[in-house]
Amino acid sequence: MELRHREMPLEDGDPVRQRGQRVNDEVSRAGDPLLHGTPAPDSSRMEAMAEGREPGTALGGGDVMPGGTPQRAGRHEEALMAELSELVQKVVKSSSWWERHGVDISILACSFLLLPAGLKRWLSSSAPAPRVCVVGSGPAGFYTAQHILKHHGGARVDIFEKLPVPFGLVRFGVAPDHPEVKNVINAFTQTARSERCAYYGNVSVGRDVTVAELRQAYHAVVLSYGAEDNRVLGIPGENLSGVYSARAFVGWYNGLPENRDLKPDLSCETALILGHGNVALDIARILLSPLHFLRKTDITDGSLAALACSKVKRVWLVGRRGPLQVAFTIKELREMINLPGARPVLNPADFTELENAIKDAPRPRKRLTELMIKTALEKPGVKPMEVQAAAPREWGLKFQRSPQEVLPTTDGRRARGIRLALTRLEGSGDSAKAIPTGDVEEVECGLVLSSIGYRSLPLDPAVPFDTQRGVIPNSSGRVEGVPGLYCSGWVKRGPTGVIITTMNDSFDTAHSVLEDLQGGVLDVSTSREGFGAVESILRSRGVRPVSFSDWEKIDAAEVARGKAAGKPREKIVDPQEMLRLIGH
């Protein structure tokens, strides 16, 4: 029997072919029995070997099958294999290093060339990944994290939040009947689920961990904690029962834990809101909305029960300046005008000669003013009588009036009304100033809501803070005098604008962080532990963070409770209940 060797069609001189040829030659010289005429084993021997038996043994016992001498054949095969192994080792030893390892090295090199560019940079770089910490999980915090992660392929971002639950103003500030605005939560959720992002709730920065400790653990720290306070009126009677800040009232019906026990008295017929912004319109709409509208929202169960017993049927919205200076937008105004069961009351005298004044105004301001003029001048007979009869509630705008004093009841404990100073305007447009005329007006009301703006508070003594403006002094988000410390959102620019304003503001801060990473302002040559360092600090202080997967358990429970009540969700308002739910 002749053994034929198949060789790969390699070119002459190829080291692999040469090495294989040497093995063939050595085997031939050794006198391989198969090559030198030794008879082939019979069929019974081949079957035995295929079945794993020693050649010459019986299938079921110890009898020797014909044609076999097991011991002699076994010794011959062992000698043959030992000789072949020795020849192979001899050839390998005589081969060059490249002949032994060249093929493997070539395969590895080709594999590296096929890797994505970003991964190759990561593999070839010895510099540690930048670690960024964001304080606050509202829109400003998530937009900042999102932009950094998108534009830096190696950065890792940790988001810290004081409450167990994320999303800040989107969860606790957006009106319950505006679910479309809350859709940004979907994008924030995708950011939080990123492999390079982590969420740590139930951690109060400034108390559980200091900003200095965060700066030691991260290459960059971004403060995006928003506005946790409200501006005060600074007038007599402000602390009477029946007077509330808009922030507290909004927090109450939106389930903000700190406001869950507010229990506002809604037993009066007239409520007065100081302010002409979107928050003021939100509150007016919630006070006057039909209950069957609110039952389909995520408004808290407790506030819905209180509104069901409310006797409020009239809401005045009061501003220091005129119609051309209102801060609310046309969408919110149109919602109020079209609110079922409530009719607008606007004084036509407040809008005289405004049509000429708005000819050259920016389009948004022009459209907004035109809608107010149209509503003020619309005659009662325009709408069908049945619609008018179905409007037991009303709301109106009062202009050029500034609060002087909240008037108390005879026992001095509750609000019964408010004294307003009439004003005149000096200047025009947004820069116009309200100057008191000396005349006053009193309005009877048992509920006063101050919607004159939110206010940020200092977080940590180590962080510069402008108490006059209520912001952190900064340049494009870089905190003045503290390299590596940044800010975004309301604590950066003040409590103004809508969510898209905050998005652009946060992208601006994120861009500053990315610039400083690229330009070497932030030293990333040394690694930072990130949450690893913070975790040990929190553990030593008895603080147990809430992860994003923990939040998703709370979220699922809220959605399940809401489904049973025919609502999108039923918010849990007690932080301790949230923690018990996730086993903390």
Side-chain angles (χ1 to χ4, degrees):
M1 178 179 177
E2 182 180 357
L3 180 64
R4 298 182 182 273
H5 294 268
R6 292 187 179 180
E7 297 179 354
M8 293 180 64
L10 301 176
E11 295 188 14
D12 291 341
D14 186 284
V16 177
R17 176 170 180 166
Q18 292 173 358
R19 183 171 60 183
Q21 186 63 49
R22 285 200 301 273
V23 173
N24 287 342
D25 294 344
E26 295 285 354
V27 169
S28 299
R29 287 195 299 271
D32 188 328
L34 294 178
L35 295 176
H36 288 249
T38 302
D42 59 25
S43 59
S44 62
R45 179 181 176 87
M46 294 294 289
E47 288 172 2
M49 293 177 69
E51 293 174 5
R53 293 182 282 113
E54 287 292 331
T57 58
L59 289 175
D63 295 338
V64 177
M65 296 183 68
T69 54
Q71 291 182 350
R72 186 184 306 165
R75 284 195 298 271
H76 179 73
E77 288 172 1
E78 287 175 5
L80 181 62
M81 291 304 297
E83 187 176 0
L84 183 59
S85 177
E86 183 180 350
L87 289 170
V88 169
Q89 290 176 9
K90 180 179 178 183
V91 171
V92 170
K93 287 180 180 178
S94 65
S95 301
S96 68
W97 182 91
W98 177 254
E99 286 177 325
R100 295 196 302 273
H101 304 290
V103 174
D104 295 336
I105 297 298
S106 299
I107 292 172
L108 287 173
C110 292
S111 300
F112 184 79
L113 291 173
L114 293 173
L115 290 173
L119 186 54
K120 279 190 286 187
R121 283 196 301 271
W122 179 80
L123 287 170
S124 61
S125 172
S126 60
R131 290 189 171 271
V132 180
C133 161
V134 174
V135 179
S137 69
F142 265 105
Y143 279 130
T144 301
Q146 182 186 95
H147 200 71
I148 292 172
L149 292 168
K150 179 180 179 181
H151 295 281
H152 195 298
R156 301 187 67 85
V157 180
D158 292 340
I159 301 174
F160 289 89
E161 168 59 49
K162 179 175 72 172
L163 295 171
V165 294
F167 309 132
L169 196 65
V170 180
R171 177 179 169 97
F172 299 117
V174 175
D177 56 348
H178 284 175
E180 72 284 352
V181 181
K182 301 182 183 184
N183 287 338
V184 294
I185 285 177
N186 297 329
F188 296 163
T189 297
Q190 293 305 310
T191 299
R193 288 175 176 169
S194 165
E195 292 181 354
R196 295 186 290 119
C197 184
Y199 167 82
Y200 301 105
N202 196 41
V203 177
S204 181
V205 174
R207 183 193 66 192
D208 300 333
V209 58
T210 67
V211 171
E213 288 168 333
L214 290 178
R215 293 185 64 210
Q216 289 178 347
Y218 293 88
H219 294 104
V221 175
V222 185
L223 304 176
S224 310
Y225 59 87
E228 297 184 301
D229 199 8
N230 55 272
R231 293 174 58 192
V232 297
L233 293 169
I235 61 174
E238 185 174 9
N239 297 320
L240 289 172
S241 178
V243 182
Y244 309 95
S245 71
R247 183 184 183 279
F249 195 79
V250 170
W252 168 69
Y253 64 64
N254 268 334
L256 185 61
E258 67 185 73
N259 301 127
R260 67 185 186 274
D261 297 323
L262 188 68
K263 295 182 176 60
D265 186 349
L266 306 178
S267 62
C268 62
E269 290 190 356
T270 302
L272 185 139
I273 303 172
L274 295 166
H276 278 168
N278 281 339
V279 174
L281 284 185
D282 283 346
I283 293 173
R285 195 176 63 254
I286 295 299
L287 284 170
L288 298 177
S289 284
L291 279 177
H292 67 274
F293 276 25
L294 296 178
R295 287 194 180 100
K296 299 174 184 177
T297 72
D298 66 357
I299 191 170
T300 62
D301 187 57
S303 54
L304 185 62
L307 289 166
C309 301
S310 172
K311 294 183 179 179
V312 175
K313 62 180 182 180
R314 184 183 303 105
V315 178
W316 294 112
L317 295 101
V318 178
R320 294 179 298 110
R321 300 188 293 174
L324 295 180
Q325 288 80 35
V326 295
F328 52 71
T329 54
I330 193 169
K331 176 182 178 292
E332 279 69 24
L333 177 62
R334 190 178 289 116
E335 280 183 315
M336 281 301 301
I337 292 170
N338 297 326
L339 186 65
R343 69 183 182 93
V345 180
L346 276 66
N347 186 354
D350 291 329
F351 301 93
T352 55
E353 300 182 2
L354 282 188
E355 290 181 340
N356 291 330
I358 62 171
K359 282 183 179 179
D360 298 324
R363 187 168 182 270
R365 173 67 66 185
K366 185 177 181 180
R367 291 178 62 233
L368 176 62
T369 307
E370 286 174 345
L371 180 57
M372 286 190 286
I373 293 171
K374 177 185 176 184
T375 305
L377 299 180
E378 193 171 62
K379 296 181 179 179
V382 172
K383 292 185 178 180
M385 290 302 295
E386 60 270 19
V387 174
Q388 301 232 0
R393 300 178 176 184
E394 62 183 21
W395 64 274
L397 299 173
K398 289 182 178 287
F399 300 101
Q400 294 181 226
R401 287 162 170 80
S402 180
Q404 272 194 339
E405 180 184 0
V406 178
L407 305 173
T409 53
T410 52
D411 62 5
R413 298 173 61 186
R414 291 188 44 77
R416 65 166 179 85
I418 190 167
R419 181 179 295 119
L420 304 169
L422 276 59
T423 66
R424 60 181 175 81
L425 297 184
E426 284 189 358
S428 60
D430 292 338
S431 61
K433 293 183 178 181
I435 308 299
T437 63
D439 296 327
V440 297
E441 172 185 271
E442 291 187 3
V443 178
E444 292 293 321
C445 56
L447 178 63
V448 178
L449 295 153
S450 171
S451 184
I452 59 172
Y454 290 17
R455 182 179 177 85
S456 296
L457 297 173
L459 183 71
D460 188 294
V463 180
F465 193 80
D466 185 338
T467 54
Q468 195 72 24
R469 297 171 54 217
V471 297
I472 295 174
N474 70 93
S475 176
S476 296
R478 297 178 178 92
V479 177
E480 292 181 3
V482 191
L485 189 62
Y486 304 81
C487 58
S488 67
W490 281 4
V491 75
K492 170 187 174 184
R493 72 177 191 277
T496 59
V498 292
I499 287 180
I500 194 161
T501 316
T502 296
M503 180 187 76
N504 292 328
D505 170 273
S506 302
F507 286 177
D508 174 63
T509 294
H511 184 69
S512 294
V513 175
L514 293 168
E515 271 189 347
D516 292 351
L517 284 170
Q518 184 178 7
V521 176
L522 297 174
D523 180 14
V524 294
S525 61
T526 56
S527 63
R528 300 289 177 93
E529 287 188 65
F531 183 69
V534 176
E535 185 178 24
S536 60
I537 293 172
L538 296 177
R539 190 184 301 114
S540 70
R541 294 169 186 169
V543 179
R544 193 172 175 187
V546 171
S547 68
F548 199 77
S549 60
D550 288 334
W551 147 247
E552 289 181 319
K553 294 174 186 175
I554 298 171
D555 176 52
E558 290 185 343
V559 171
R561 294 180 188 186
K563 187 176 182 181
K567 301 168 62 178
R569 72 173 61 242
E570 185 59 58
K571 291 178 182 175
I572 299 171
V573 299
D574 183 0
Q576 294 306 313
E577 183 181 353
M578 297 176 189
L579 297 177
R580 285 195 299 270
L581 185 68
I582 58 176
H584 271 44

